[in-house]
Amino acid sequence: MNYENILSEQQNSIVTISINRPSKLNALNKATIQELHEAFKDVDGDPNVKVIIITGSGEKAFVAGADISEFANFSVAEGGQLAAQGQAMLFDYVANLSTPVIAAINGFALGGGLELAMSAHFRIASDNAKMGLPEVSLGVIPGYGGTQRLPELVGKGRAMELIMTGGMIDANAALTYGLVNHVTTLEELLPFTQKIATKIARNSSVAIASAIASINAGYEDGENGYDTEITEFGRCFGTADFKEGTQAFLEKRKPEFPGI
Ligand code: COA
């Protein structure tokens, strides 16, 4: 598919999706959110894709937020709709994908940019990255899940402070907070992320999908993560991957997971 605002590139079983509006610091306008939805949907449905990396084009920004020029004149109803549609189409969608998504944060990740990175299953940042939720400086609040995912990742007090000040933290502070798992140089960011993605890709993709569903269930209102874990654990026993994984172990060879 041809995209205007994003690039999608596959290397072996790893797809890297780059938001490609560097002159606007990769700000998320409506068209970009739509294209990201299509791209994620497309690769999630492809059995040859085992891991997705999401990053920003250029050396300055991952994503500098939702496109402010698009919503500056919105009404109350339009504001609510913007958040609801964005969450359904991209942010919740990514968080609940069965293919692992890693955010490689290569610069500013602000507002909707940090919310997108937080929707990914985990994050790696380059040492020039700056992260924050500056929405209250615009008279609005994070609307793409930021008020929920930031406290989950860094704790309530730190999230309150970051959101109330609208300030930015650097990559090392984000590492200390647990917001990102690793910090690299900008040059090393993609190679390092690809190395981790390669490790993930060697494992059973169906078991990983069950793990994502179980972990996410613990954070969903009205769901019992332990119950989900039991169901997903049982489900694994019916997969060809489980048969191959256990057989390969017993035969002292590397597994060749069929991914079903
Ligand atoms: N929405 C729309 N356009 C944006 C944008 C956003 N969130 N963030 C950056 N841009 C645009 C700028 O308007 C500018 O466009 P122009 O060249 O046509 O004027 C271009 O990207 C470059 O940004 P600029 O502000 O000139 O870069 P900078 O290096 O001086 O500052 C930031 C970088 C990230 C500090 C600054 O761009 C910024 O504060 N952006 C908004 C962050 C924000 O509040 N995000 C939350 C939105 S809810």
Side-chain angles (χ1 to χ4, degrees):
M1 194 180 289
N2 277 340
Y3 298 112
E4 259 180 52
N5 303 290
I6 63 173
L7 303 169
S8 179
E9 190 194 332
Q10 181 161 359
Q11 260 184 319
N12 302 317
S13 58
I14 301 163
V15 165
T16 302
I17 298 175
S18 308
I19 297 133
N20 189 32
R21 299 180 76 213
S23 68
K24 295 290 173 192
L25 302 186
N26 302 322
L28 293 177
N29 59 2
K30 204 173 164 194
T32 307
I33 289 179
Q34 178 72 44
E35 288 187 7
L36 282 169
H37 174 80
E38 299 299 332
F40 276 111
K41 190 171 165 193
D42 204 37
V43 288
D44 190 49
D46 182 344
N48 296 317
V49 178
K50 305 286 186 202
V51 184
I52 304 167
I53 297 170
I54 175 87
T55 193
S57 289
E59 297 194 342
K60 203 166 162 185
F62 173 73
V63 169
D67 193 321
I68 299 167
S69 65
E70 271 192 352
F71 62 71
N73 297 316
F74 272 14
S75 66
V76 170
E78 287 170 320
Q81 215 178 16
L82 181 74
Q85 282 177 352
Q87 290 194 18
M89 199 181 270
L90 184 59
F91 299 83
D92 283 357
Y93 189 78
V94 167
N96 291 303
L97 277 189
S98 50
T99 308
V101 181
I102 312 173
I105 305 175
N106 58 307
F108 288 114
L110 301 174
L114 181 56
E115 289 172 301
L116 179 59
M118 291 193 296
S119 297
H121 298 122
F122 62 91
R123 289 142 292 283
I124 299 169
S126 52
D127 51 17
N128 62 316
K130 293 254 174 3
M131 285 156 257
L133 294 176
E135 284 86 349
V136 296
S137 71
L138 298 166
V140 67
I141 66 167
Y144 289 146
T147 65
Q148 306 306 299
R149 292 198 177 96
L150 188 62
E152 271 171 18
L153 288 165
V154 307
K156 190 174 169 185
R158 283 170 167 165
M160 285 279 190
E161 183 182 338
L162 253 183
I163 289 173
M164 287 179 193
T165 59
M168 294 184 207
I169 56 170
D170 65 18
N172 283 322
L175 184 65
T176 308
Y177 278 20
L179 184 54
V180 303
N181 291 9
H182 306 275
V183 175
T184 69
T185 61
L186 184 57
E187 296 70 38
E188 270 303 302
L189 179 64
L190 282 181
F192 181 82
T193 308
Q194 279 153 357
K195 218 183 265 178
I196 294 187
T198 303
K199 272 192 190 172
I200 295 172
R202 282 193 206 115
N203 293 322
S204 158
S205 53
V206 280
I208 286 172
S210 283
I212 293 171
S214 302
I215 294 167
N216 280 348
Y219 293 90
E220 289 290 327
D221 247 0
E223 280 201 47
N224 182 321
Y226 291 96
D227 287 345
T228 305
E229 182 181 281
I230 291 167
T231 307
E232 292 295 332
F233 181 81
R235 194 197 302 275
C236 291
F237 285 71
T239 66
D241 274 10
F242 174 73
K243 291 196 175 37
E244 168 62 9
T246 47
Q247 206 57 42
F249 178 82
L250 296 172
E251 291 169 9
K252 299 191 188 308
R253 61 174 174 82
K254 286 202 169 130
E256 297 272 348
F257 288 115
I260 47 172

